């Protein structure tokens, strides 16, 4: 049963005496369980308790003259399994048969394991209707009610004030009836008893450790068989401490021991104020049940012979009647002797505050004698004047010593000393932060640090401390993880004190710590209220070494203070000594990363100008991550203007290095390394730079690409594609100007991308048309060119764009036919494309190249239907020719003469060359089987035929768009094109 469950259960009780009635109804009159609570009525439970119900008078007692009140009274506290038993035994005279020696036992069972001797001794000589029953009541039945735990606690609280109230030591509580001589004898033996108890418990701990080790070894050796076989066996244990004294002396010594022993060890003390001496020699129950056992002789003069010589040799035995010391001799435990001397002196003086403080200091760290002696040794060494190194050692290696009041007092005393406080805080500040992390896992340390915080707060409020002391206490409490509300109170007290401002300006490191505390404790409105104060404090930072402590925490500072910190860093870094001539800035690697994080978080409008100014200073350094700084500036809101960007780049180390790279003023290997670095940075940042549309950044990207264009060790094609995707049309032309004209394959990929996006750049600029013509002639296959044309034509191009596309695509007859048949209906039916003379030219070439076999194709017939429409964007001559072909195609399809067939043949005869017209006419003769008369019929209406005119390609109007860029002036560029025109 655990402690929590035991605290919820009532306390069972039992009476044991000579009686003719009780639980054992089959027995005749005799010693028996007279009555008990229901929880103790089972046979097994009674057998467990029966060994403790024995009581005998001293062997040499004169029963005839013995008075009941003179008989020894026994109060025993017993550990039985997981519970504790409390027994009260008294002599009641003669039994029902008239024989002397009858006794009465009142037992309480079910007490929690933490029910210790200091509480048990409070019930010595206690009398009321509940505790203790000292005689049989014939009117009472055999069942006793359980005692409510609250009732027992109420009685204990009343007796506790009498036993442990102020001024009780060394006399003892009034309910322990002792004469002065008996008390003096007991007081004389008190230090010996303390030493014996330490020796006994230390032996017990050693034996217990040996048993555990033997058990573990047995389990490893035999698989646990030996351990399982020995589970039912009991150990003889360590012999108890024997006292030959009166029961009241024994009660007084138990009370005194509980005053002086540490609580963790005091809970081990089990006792009996009286047991008959003959039982002590052979009783196994006595040896296992008690740590302290008292016996007394019937006559005081027989005290020397009360116990056998064997007990004097084997156990700790003290004879208060004869004044004999302990035997055997006690082991040498120096720390225990020192503690006993300290505790005994305090006890005799009647002032136990030092002992109580010692127990409070060591509370939580004591589990056995060994741990107590270790803790006491450190506590004793800390009682003198602690040096700064000693305090630092305690804080680092023995943090649990902070539970000691003297250590906490001395730490506070040193921190409040203006001569030693600064040095102490510098030594222990990092260790205090480690304590703050450790206190979360250790309750004892947390309790000690809470006490320290309360003591420091009381000192702060009750004492007139200097400004420097307040700053030191604030930093120490903050390092220990002080509660936020208390920390805010301390921070406001420092920031509102003008004297503290001068202290913080002189110690920038302390100022940074106070600002960090303020960032955690103050609200946003409070931070805004202290903005001017923070600005005044920042004037104390005069160099970068001072600023480094502030840089580490500036990310957690409120936004109201961040702009001031940026201004401070710019002021310090633009010092003439550091920045003149482009010299290196005093920044370490960690400083750069912190500055970049700071600039990344500075996003408000108030901080924008400070970010740009600080970035301009940082860009002067050769080690500066220039691209990351430019990226941070491009993410500001609003974006930097062109003048601001020029100011950023004007004196930057980036431009200086680019100039050296362009002039080849460095070794080849290093130059190649830098080019690769710049290529990687440009791949990451180019999209952001070009989207800003700032000329300075566009010029930077163009300059870098120009550097890469001469090197094959960097991914030039990928960079060109990336820049081309985000660049403006003007920048695209500049990119193509610096790109080698021989490397058309990369540009062909750009042309494909532009076509897929519907971007007409390559159809509207001179360089675009040049590279497009080069790609068509040198790179693209016929299938790729057809796919490219289809991609562009699907997007309904502008008439001028369509004119340029048709002019520079080098279309073959098959490609012209495919283009017109697929996209002719889409473009020729729209009036805006009347300006596209290349479209009419394609239609003329198409119509003049048709044959009888082409007329049977559905695509050709659908195109002819479109071209023959009067509203189509073609000259009237081409419309008439289209109409003629459509009549012929209809006649061939239906195999019958059309009324307008003669007129259509007349148009075709005048437009086509004789051989093509003869083939067409022959095909008609065979398909329609025309009559001989019709074959010889001549056309008489010359006026109708004359309207066709000479339908030849050179007869078409050669209109040019005003805005169409022509590159014919470029020498040798379109020589092939001009040769084709001459041949046509």
């Amino acid at each position: 049963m655990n402690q929590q469950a035991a605290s919820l259960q009532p306390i069972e009780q039992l009476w044991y005496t000579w009686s003719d009635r009780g639980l054992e109804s089959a027995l005749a009159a005799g010693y028996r369980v007279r009555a008990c609570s229901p929880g103790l009525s089972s046979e097994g439970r009674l057998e467990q308790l029966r060994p403790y119900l024995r009581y005998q008078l001293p062997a040499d007692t004169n029963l005839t003259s013995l008075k009941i009140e003179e008989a020894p009274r026994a109060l025993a506290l017993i550990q039985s399994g997981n519970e504790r038993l409390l027994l009260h035994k008294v002599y009641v005279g003669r039994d029902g048969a008239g024989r002397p020696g009858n006794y009465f036992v009142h037992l309480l069972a079910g007490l929690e394991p933490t029910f210790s001797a200091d509480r048990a001794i409070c019930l010595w000589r206690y009398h009321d209707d509940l505790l203790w029953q000292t005689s049989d009541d014939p009117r009472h039945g055999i069942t006793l009610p359980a005692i409510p735990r609250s009732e027992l606690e109420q009685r204990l609280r009343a007796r506790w004030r009498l036993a442990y109230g102020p001024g009780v030591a060394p006399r003892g509580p009034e309910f322990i009836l002792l004469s002065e001589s008996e008390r003096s004898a007991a007081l004389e033996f008190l230090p010996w008893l303390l030493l014996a108890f330490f020796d006994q418990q230390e032996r017990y701990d050693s034996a217990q450790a040996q048993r555990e080790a033997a058990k573990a070894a047995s389990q490893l050796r035999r698989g646990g068989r030996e351990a399982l076989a020995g589970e039912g066996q009991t150990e003889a244990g360590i012999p108890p401490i024997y006292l030959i004294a009166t029961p009241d002396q024994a009660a007084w010594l138990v009370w005194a021991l509980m005053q002086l022993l540490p609580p963790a060890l005091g809970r081990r003390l089990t006792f009996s104020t009286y047991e008959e001496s003959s039982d002590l020699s052979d009783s196994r129950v006595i040896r296992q049940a008690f740590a302290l056992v008292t016996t007394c002789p019937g006559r005081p003069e027989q005290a020397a012979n009360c116990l056998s010589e064997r007990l004097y040799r084997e156990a700790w035995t003290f004879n208060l009647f004869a004044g004999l010391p302990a035997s055997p001799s006690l082991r040498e435990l120096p720390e225990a002797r020192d503690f006993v001397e300290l505790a005994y002196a305090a006890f005799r003086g009647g002032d136990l505050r030092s002992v109580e403080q010692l127990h409070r200091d060591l509370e939580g760290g004591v589990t056995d004698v060994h741990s107590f002696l270790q803790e006491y040794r450190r506590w004793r060494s800390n009682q003198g004047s602690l040096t700064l190194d000693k305090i630092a050692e305690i804080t680092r290696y023995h943090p649990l010593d902070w539970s000691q009041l003297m250590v906490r007092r001395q730490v506070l005393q040193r921190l409040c000393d203006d001569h030693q406080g600064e040095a102490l805080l510098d030594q222990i500040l990092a260790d205090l932060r480690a304590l703050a992390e450790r206190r979360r896992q250790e309750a004892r340390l947390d309790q000690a640090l809470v006490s320290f915080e309360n003591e420091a707060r009381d000192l702060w409020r009750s004492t007139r401390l200097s400004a420097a002391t307040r700053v030191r206490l604030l930093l120490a409490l903050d390092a220990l993880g002080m509660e936020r509300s208390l920390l805010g109170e301390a921070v406001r007290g420092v920031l509102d004190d003008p004297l503290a401002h001068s202290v913080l300006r002189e110690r920038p490191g302390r100022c940074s710590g106070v600002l960090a505390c303020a960032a955690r404790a103050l609200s946003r409105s409070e931070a805004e209220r202290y903005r001017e104060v923070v600005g005044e404090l920042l004037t104390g930072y005069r160099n970068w070494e001072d600023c480094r402590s502030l840089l580490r925490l500036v990310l957690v500072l409120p936004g109201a203070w961040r702009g001031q910190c940026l201004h401070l860093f710019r002021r310090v870094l633009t010092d003439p000594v550091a920045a003149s001539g482009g010299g290196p800035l005093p920044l370490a690697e960690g400083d750069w990363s912190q500055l970049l994080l700071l600039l990344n978080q500075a996003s408000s409008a108030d901080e924008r100008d400070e970010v740009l100014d600080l970035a301009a200073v940082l860009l002067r350094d050769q080690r500066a991550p220039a691209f990351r700084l430019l990226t941070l500036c491009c993410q500001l809101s609003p974006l930097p203007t062109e003048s601001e960007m020029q100011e950023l780049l004007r004196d930057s180390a980036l431009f200086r290095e680019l100039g050296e790279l362009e002039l080849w003023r460095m070794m080849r290997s290093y130059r190649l390394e830098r080019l690769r670095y710049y290529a990687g940075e440009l791949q990451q940042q180019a999209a952001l730079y070009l989207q800003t549309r700032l000329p300075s950044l566009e010029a930077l990207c163009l300059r870098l690409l120009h550097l890469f264009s001469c090197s094959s060790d960097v991914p030039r094609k990928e960079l060109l594609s990336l820049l081309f995707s985000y660049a403006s049309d003007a920048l695209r032309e500049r990119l193509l100007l610096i790109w080698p004209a021989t490397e058309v394959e990369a540009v062909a990929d750009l042309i494909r991308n532009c076509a897929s996006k519907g971007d007409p750049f390559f159809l509207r600029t001179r360089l675009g048309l040049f590279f497009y013509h080069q790609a068509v002639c040198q790179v693209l296959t016929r299938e790729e060119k057809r796919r490219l044309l289809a991609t562009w034509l699907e997007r309904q191009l502008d008439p001028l764009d369509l004119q340029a596309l048709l002019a520079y695509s080098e279309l073959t007859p098959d490609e012209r036919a495919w283009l017109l048949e697929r996209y002719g209906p889409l473009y020729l039916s729209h009036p805006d494309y009347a300006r596209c003379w290349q479209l009419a030219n394609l239609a003329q070439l198409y119509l003049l190249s048709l044959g009888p076999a082409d007329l049977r194709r559905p695509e050709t017939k659908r195109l002819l239907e479109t071209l023959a429409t009067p509203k189509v964007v073609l000259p009237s001559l081409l419309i008439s020719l289209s109409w003629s072909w459509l009549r012929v195609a209809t006649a061939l399809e239906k195999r019958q003469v059309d009324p307008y067939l003669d007129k259509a043949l007349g148009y075709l005869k005048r437009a086509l060359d004789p051989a093509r017209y003869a083939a067409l006419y022959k095909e008609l003769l065979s398909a329609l089987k025309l009559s001989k008369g019709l074959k010889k019929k001549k056309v008489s209406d010359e006026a109708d035929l004359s309207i066709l005119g000479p339908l030849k390609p050179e007869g078409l109007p050669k209109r040019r768009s005003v805005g169409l860029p022509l590159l014919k002036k470029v020498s040798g560029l379109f020589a092939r094109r001009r040769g084709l025109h001459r041949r046509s």
Side-chain angles (χ1 to χ4, degrees), residues 665-860:
R665 290 181 177 176
M666 52 186 64
M667 295 179 61
R668 178 181 178 84
S669 59
Y670 180 73
R671 185 177 188 275
L672 180 59
E673 178 186 349
R674 298 308 296 170
L675 287 178
R676 288 174 178 171
Y677 166 74
Y678 285 133
E681 292 292 336
L682 187 62
Q683 282 182 324
Q684 296 180 9
Q685 313 298 344
L688 178 63
Y689 293 168
L690 296 180
Q691 286 173 355
T692 61
R693 295 295 185 259
L694 293 176
S696 299
L697 293 178
E698 291 181 347
L700 174 62
C701 296
L702 192 66
R703 188 175 180 179
L704 289 172
L705 186 63
H706 185 267
L707 275 175
F708 303 148
S709 63
C710 302
S711 175
S712 60
D713 296 310
V714 294
R716 297 179 300 160
K717 294 182 180 180
E718 291 82 354
L719 289 173
L720 176 65
S721 176
L722 176 65
L723 296 177
F724 207 85
S725 300
Y726 297 97
S728 61
D729 287 347
L731 181 60
R732 287 178 174 180
E733 287 193 77
R734 297 173 66 185
L735 291 172
L736 293 180
L737 277 174
I738 65 175
W739 191 255
T742 57
E743 299 185 10
V744 188
E745 292 185 5
V747 183
D749 294 335
L750 300 181
I751 295 173
R752 295 188 188 96
N753 292 335
C754 287
S756 63
K757 298 175 183 177
D759 187 354
F761 169 78
F762 284 95
L763 304 178
R764 292 184 177 180
T765 59
R766 292 185 178 185
L767 281 174
L769 286 171
F770 167 76
F771 276 101
Y772 173 67
H773 186 265
Q774 290 291 98
V776 168
C777 297
Q778 300 177 13
V779 178
L780 300 178
T781 62
R782 289 187 177 182
E783 187 62 30
E784 289 175 341
K785 182 173 71 172
R786 179 172 293 191
R787 285 199 299 268
L788 181 64
L789 290 172
T791 304
W792 249 320
L793 293 172
E794 290 287 348
R795 296 183 176 273
Q796 190 83 24
L797 289 174
D798 182 85
L800 297 180
D801 298 334
L802 180 62
Q803 176 80 8
L805 179 66
L806 298 179
Y808 293 97
S809 294
E810 296 291 338
L811 298 175
T812 63
D814 293 339
E815 292 170 346
R816 291 196 297 268
W818 165 81
L819 190 149
L820 281 176
E821 290 173 356
R822 184 170 181 178
Y823 298 102
L826 176 65
Y827 287 95
L828 293 174
S829 60
H830 201 286
D832 291 342
Y833 290 90
R835 295 178 295 168
C836 183
W837 62 272
Q838 281 289 352
L839 194 61
N841 190 24
L842 288 182
Q844 178 192 6
L845 295 175
Y846 177 80
L847 292 174
L848 294 179
S849 63
L850 287 177
D854 298 326
L855 298 178
R856 294 186 179 90
R857 297 170 58 238
E859 296 84 357
T860 304

Side-chain angles (χ1 to χ4, degrees), residues 13-62:
Q13 58 177 332
L14 177 146
W15 295 350
Y16 186 87
T17 187
W18 190 98
S19 177
D20 57 357
R21 50 187 308 211
L23 264 65
E24 298 91 349
S25 57
L27 297 179
Y31 289 100
R32 65 203 305 171
V33 177
R34 169 66 179 82
C36 68
S37 302
L40 303 179
S41 60
S42 65
E43 186 63 29
R45 191 78 164 102
L46 291 177
E47 288 299 324
Q48 181 184 4
L49 300 177
R50 199 176 298 277
Y52 308 120
L53 303 178
R54 179 182 177 86
Y55 176 87
Q56 283 184 339
L57 290 170
D60 56 348
T61 302
N62 187 352

Side-chain angles (χ1 to χ4, degrees), residues 307-417:
L307 295 178
S308 65
E309 290 295 332
R310 184 171 60 86
L311 292 182
Y312 278 93
R313 292 193 305 268
E314 297 177 356
W316 301 271
T317 306
F318 301 92
N319 193 333
L320 273 64
F321 288 93
L324 297 178
S327 180
S329 60
L330 298 174
R331 288 193 298 173
E332 189 66 28
L333 298 174
E335 289 81 9
R337 289 184 179 273
D338 187 73
F339 165 73
V340 169
E341 292 176 2
L342 173 69
Y344 183 65
F347 185 80
R348 292 198 65 168
D351 187 1
L352 293 175
R353 288 179 296 180
S354 60
V355 178
E356 294 171 354
Q357 183 60 51
L358 167 63
H359 295 334
R360 284 195 296 268
D361 289 348
L362 304 187
E363 185 179 1
V366 176
T367 57
D368 52 23
V369 175
H370 180 69
S371 62
F372 169 74
L373 296 180
Q374 282 187 329
E375 293 285 334
Y376 176 76
R377 185 188 307 118
R378 286 202 300 268
W379 180 87
R380 192 65 169 169
S381 66
N382 295 336
Q383 295 309 295
S385 179
L386 300 179
T387 62
L388 301 186
D389 294 337
K390 181 65 174 178
I391 294 176
E393 178 185 353
I394 290 173
T395 306
R396 180 171 301 175
Y397 301 111
H398 308 291
L400 294 179
D401 286 1
W402 278 69
S403 61
Q404 301 174 16
L405 177 64
M406 186 59 66
V407 173
R408 299 197 300 268
R409 285 180 177 175
Q410 295 217 30
V411 172
L412 282 176
Q413 180 182 353
R414 295 293 191 276
L415 286 176
C416 294
D417 188 348

Side-chain angles (χ1 to χ4, degrees), residues 580-728:
S580 61
L585 298 175
L587 298 175
E589 189 67 28
D591 299 338
W592 282 110
S593 59
Q594 292 290 332
L595 282 171
L596 290 175
L597 289 175
L598 172 61
L599 294 175
N600 191 30
Q601 285 194 355
S603 57
S604 64
D606 298 337
E607 300 167 352
R608 176 184 177 277
D609 296 338
E610 295 293 344
V611 170
L612 291 175
D613 294 340
L614 180 58
V617 175
L618 296 176
L619 283 170
R620 299 174 189 171
D621 196 325
Q622 189 69 35
R623 300 168 301 170
F627 290 94
R628 291 190 62 184
L629 288 170
L630 292 176
T631 300
L632 292 175
C633 294
C634 291
Q635 292 173 345
L636 294 175
S637 180
L639 286 172
T641 61
E642 175 60 19
S643 61
E644 290 172 337
M645 188 58 66
Q646 289 178 359
E647 184 67 23
L648 277 174
L649 296 172
R650 184 177 55 189
D651 298 327
S652 65
L654 174 63
F655 274 20
R656 292 198 302 270
E657 186 173 21
L658 288 180
E660 294 177 358
L661 288 172
E662 291 168 344
L663 296 176
W664 290 77
R665 290 181 177 176
M666 52 186 64
M667 295 179 61
R668 178 181 178 84
S669 59
Y670 180 73
R671 185 177 188 275
L672 180 59
E673 178 186 349
R674 298 308 296 170
L675 287 178
R676 288 174 178 171
Y677 166 74
Y678 285 133
E681 292 292 336
L682 187 62
Q683 282 182 324
Q684 296 180 9
Q685 313 298 344
L688 178 63
Y689 293 168
L690 296 180
Q691 286 173 355
T692 61
R693 295 295 185 259
L694 293 176
S696 299
L697 293 178
E698 291 181 347
L700 174 62
C701 296
L702 192 66
R703 188 175 180 179
L704 289 172
L705 186 63
H706 185 267
L707 275 175
F708 303 148
S709 63
C710 302
S711 175
S712 60
D713 296 310
V714 294
R716 297 179 300 160
K717 294 182 180 180
E718 291 82 354
L719 289 173
L720 176 65
S721 176
L722 176 65
L723 296 177
F724 207 85
S725 300
Y726 297 97
S728 61

